[in-house]
Amino acid sequence: MPLEIVDEFRDSAFARAQTGLLFNLPAPPADCEQLPAGLSLCMIVKNEERFLAACLESVRGVVDEIIVADTGSTDGTVEIARSFGANVVFREWRNDFSWARNESLALATRRWTLVLDADEEVTPDSLALLRALRDTPAGVTGVYVQIQNDVDDASGAASTMTHVLPRLFPTTPRIRYRNVIHESAVLDDEAYLLSVVSPIVVRHKGYTAAIVGERGKHERNRPLLERAIREAADDAFSWFNFGTSAVASGDFDTAIEALERMFAMSGPMRAFFPIAYAMLAQAYAEGPKDLERGLKVVDDGLAAFPAHPNIVFTKGYLLAEAGRYDEARSEYEQAMAGQFEAARHSMVDDEIFTWKSALNIATSYVKENRVAEAIPWFERALDSKAESSMLRGVLASAYEKVGRFYDAEQRFRDAGERDGQTGFVSYVNYLMRRHRFAEAFDRVDHRRDAIDDATYAALLVSAARVTRDERLGDPEPFALRALKLAPGNGAALAFLDGLYETYGESAKRDGLRAAELDAPLLAATDFARRSHRLLQEQRPGDALTAACAGLAVAPNDAVLS
């Protein structure tokens, strides 16, 4: 429906600024040469056969040409690109993302250029806007698109974080990329490309932990990030990327140094600064544990970017860490209220509004031993994230703590049916805590397919202990079944060792202790048991070797250390 400006605003600055062009793009000068209408898709790729077809399918019939710069694929990437009619050019990789992108941009011939990565897809609702842009006159102003990143988070369910990038811009040699990594589009080699905001959404699938690890992104990016701050030491964006990468890897001292340097640089506040404030505050909190300094950082951030959801949420986290729970809850509620203005920010964690703030409010009540008051917030979080196994589990535990056993059992049973091995184990353990041992054992026996051997062995050891402690019968068969599955299981071995010693069954005990020294080891408890037994056998060198091997499996295990 057309909109009409109310008379009293007809002559306002806002009204005079409207151009009638898509996304309110400024009208180009009359003498600005226009390339043929259309959209050129420009990409760089290497070994992207897993994602590329879905990416290109998402823009089929919308883009007028596809230019793909391949930097050394050895899989089916090139064949997939050509099957979509792409012009594929081959370039030797130079450890420089901007150079590679610019190689593809140089071959574009249509009026507008769209830049995508192979693990991205344009959402169906955005296609009509892209079609309309093809005929829109182009000057030198770009278009921000919403990049919706699929990410991992503690909820155990799918989550997203959204930020904007100028991925659409006029096709002209005046617009090129700069920086070897986390490259940005610039005009005439200036600091940034002036762009307007659009509702176009691109879904990015490459930030989940599994994909990042599979591609070795952290190892690949570190030297490029270091090179970026050497070659562009005067660019705040280079220091931002270096600092936030250090936060992600847990190197908080490096993160603090880089981000503080970024803030000390002259120049205007830029779109990524709000996230820099939040990340720097997090680094102070998790590195030197300087909560007061972290709070000063977020207050500075809120002075520059009032009510930014990520900064407000971070302030709530810091206040909770300081034990100032009432203040923390107030900040979390303010963060949730900021959902309606989130679109005006260039980068926002979408999960703040759905479940993260509600969960943190609930957690603050739990820390104060006010579990009943936490439950409505746990429920609110789960209502917003119904597929989350973690939220289902914490709500079930909260119900159990306040004696709402009917509600607790419903949630634990639901987890047992929906959440795989972890959910099934949590349900069995709940039944054991309720002293419903026969039911728990029966479920373990009848759901053998739901769990792997190591977990099944652990449940069998638990069943052995309960059988002994509650005097329900003979515990030995449970432990022996565990050893059959995992002959080096340290918990089962320790249990049987103690059982045989108590019953005076020395022959069984001697046989057990002799056989275990050759059994394969898997878990930290297995290595700890083996090291202990080797010490008993007066073999300290072998005991040390076993402990070191265990630490390779579980580096933070206190017993092995």
Side-chain angles (χ1 to χ4, degrees):
M1 179 186 300
L3 298 178
E4 183 170 347
I5 300 174
V6 178
D7 285 344
E8 61 185 294
F9 298 116
R10 186 174 299 279
D11 296 322
S12 67
F14 172 80
R16 290 194 300 272
Q18 306 310 299
T19 66
L21 298 183
L22 193 64
F23 314 132
N24 196 34
L25 280 159
D31 60 351
C32 182
E33 182 181 356
Q34 296 295 310
L35 291 177
L39 195 59
S40 300
L41 171 61
C42 293
M43 306 179 68
I44 58 173
V45 298
K46 181 179 179 181
N47 292 338
E48 295 287 1
E49 65 178 7
R50 175 178 177 181
F51 297 109
L52 184 58
C55 171
L56 297 179
E57 186 64 40
S58 77
V59 292
R60 186 193 289 272
V62 176
V63 299
D64 298 277
E65 64 177 354
I66 303 171
I67 300 105
V68 172
D70 185 274
T71 60
S73 293
T74 56
D75 61 3
T77 294
V78 172
E79 290 75 16
I80 293 170
R82 285 176 171 161
S83 74
F84 281 85
N87 173 20
V88 181
V89 296
F90 300 94
R91 299 291 185 267
E92 186 175 352
W93 178 238
R94 297 184 182 179
N95 292 316
D96 187 333
F97 283 92
S98 286
W99 166 82
R101 290 211 187 276
N102 292 336
E103 288 293 295
S104 66
L105 294 186
L107 299 175
T109 64
R110 297 305 180 112
R111 184 174 303 170
W112 289 91
T113 292
L114 168 66
V115 173
L116 292 177
D117 289 333
D119 55 3
E120 295 176 334
E121 299 167 22
V122 176
T123 61
D125 291 344
S126 301
L127 297 180
L129 292 171
L130 283 179
R131 290 190 182 95
L133 185 67
R134 294 159 69 189
D135 297 311
T136 299
V140 290
T141 301
V143 176
Y144 283 117
V145 304
Q146 313 287 323
I147 309 294
Q148 189 179 78
N149 302 283
D150 292 348
V151 297
D152 295 314
D153 60 48
S155 81
S159 295
T160 59
M161 174 177 279
T162 301
H163 66 283
V164 299
L165 286 174
R167 292 290 197 83
L168 282 162
F169 42 78
T171 303
T172 168
R174 294 177 62 189
I175 298 176
R176 288 294 183 263
Y177 278 94
R178 187 174 70 177
N179 295 335
V180 295
I181 188 171
H182 297 305
E183 60 282 6
S184 56
V186 298
L187 174 66
D188 297 332
D189 203 31
E190 295 296 328
Y192 58 89
L193 173 68
L194 183 65
S195 301
V196 298
V197 175
S198 81
I200 293 173
V201 176
V202 171
R203 181 183 172 220
H204 177 218
K205 298 180 288 188
Y207 276 162
T208 61
I211 295 174
V212 169
E214 176 185 308
R215 293 177 166 183
K217 278 189 175 182
H218 291 310
E219 294 77 9
R220 178 201 69 188
N221 288 354
R222 178 74 185 208
L224 292 180
L225 289 164
E226 292 173 345
R227 177 180 163 190
I229 60 174
R230 289 195 305 270
E231 296 181 357
D234 59 341
D235 182 8
F237 191 54
S238 296
W239 288 100
F240 167 78
N241 289 319
F242 189 74
T244 54
S245 176
V247 173
S249 65
D251 185 357
F252 299 115
D253 290 340
T254 297
I256 289 169
E257 182 181 354
L259 294 173
E260 289 284 16
R261 176 164 180 167
M262 185 208 82
F263 282 118
M265 298 174 73
S266 60
M269 291 280 187
R270 294 169 63 182
F272 53 84
F273 273 44
I275 304 305
Y277 279 113
M279 297 294 269
L280 178 57
Q282 179 186 342
Y284 274 116
E286 298 187 16
K289 310 297 182 185
D290 190 345
L291 296 176
E292 288 306 312
R293 177 60 185 156
L295 286 168
K296 173 65 167 57
V297 170
V298 294
D299 285 339
D300 290 344
L302 291 172
F305 300 93
H308 190 287
N310 286 60
I311 305 176
V312 175
F313 181 84
T314 302
K315 185 173 183 178
Y317 162 73
L318 295 174
L319 289 168
E321 288 294 295
R324 296 160 61 179
Y325 297 119
D326 286 337
E327 296 173 77
R329 288 188 281 267
S330 176
E331 295 297 328
Y332 288 135
E333 292 194 47
Q334 182 182 343
M336 284 188 286
Q339 180 173 7
F340 301 105
E341 295 187 7
R344 68 185 180 90
H345 301 295
S346 62
M347 182 182 290
V348 171
D349 182 349
D350 304 328
E351 308 303 309
I352 285 173
F353 316 116
T354 55
W355 66 271
K356 284 186 175 179
S357 294
L359 174 65
N360 283 10
I361 290 173
T363 302
S364 73
Y365 281 120
V366 171
K367 288 180 178 178
E368 293 186 291
N369 200 28
R370 298 162 63 182
V371 181
E373 293 172 84
I375 285 176
W377 291 100
F378 281 134
E379 291 172 334
R380 179 170 174 174
L382 184 59
D383 286 344
S384 299
K385 201 78 168 176
E387 70 275 24
S388 169
S389 58
M390 183 274 286
L391 294 175
R392 202 162 20 250
V394 294
L395 178 57
S397 296
Y399 283 146
E400 184 181 5
K401 286 179 181 177
V402 299
R404 291 174 57 176
F405 298 116
Y406 175 80
D407 293 326
E409 183 161 346
Q410 279 192 314
R411 294 296 180 185
F412 279 122
R413 184 187 297 117
D414 190 26
E417 294 172 354
R418 297 177 56 182
D419 298 333
Q421 177 172 287
T422 301
F424 178 69
V425 171
S426 70
Y427 181 38
V428 170
N429 285 333
Y430 170 76
L431 293 173
M432 287 187 177
R433 289 194 299 272
R434 299 299 299 152
H435 287 218
R436 291 159 58 182
F437 304 116
E439 187 177 352
F441 299 161
D442 182 67
R443 288 188 180 277
V444 170
D445 284 336
H446 285 85
R447 286 291 307 279
R448 179 64 186 88
D449 61 321
I451 48 179
D452 60 31
D453 286 351
T455 303
Y456 188 47
L459 285 174
L460 289 168
V461 174
S462 295
R465 289 176 179 146
V466 167
T467 302
R468 177 198 62 195
D469 296 343
E470 300 293 329
R471 299 182 180 181
L472 300 175
D474 183 4
E476 183 185 25
F478 289 109
L480 289 175
R481 286 168 62 189
L483 278 188
K484 188 174 181 180
L485 288 170
N489 186 294
L493 289 165
F495 178 86
L496 285 170
D497 195 344
L499 188 72
Y500 293 150
E501 183 177 23
T502 300
Y503 291 168
E505 299 187 41
S506 56
K508 284 186 175 182
R509 186 173 185 239
D510 291 344
L512 177 81
R513 291 164 72 85
E516 71 172 283
L517 295 178
D518 296 320
L521 308 176
L522 298 174
T525 52
D526 304 354
F527 287 96
R529 167 75 183 182
R530 176 65 54 82
S531 184
H532 175 69
R533 283 285 297 110
L534 290 168
L535 282 174
Q536 291 180 329
E537 297 287 327
Q538 303 297 313
R539 295 164 58 183
D542 293 336
L544 179 60
T545 299
C548 291
L551 285 171
V553 174
N556 298 318
D557 188 85
V559 174
L560 289 169
S561 293

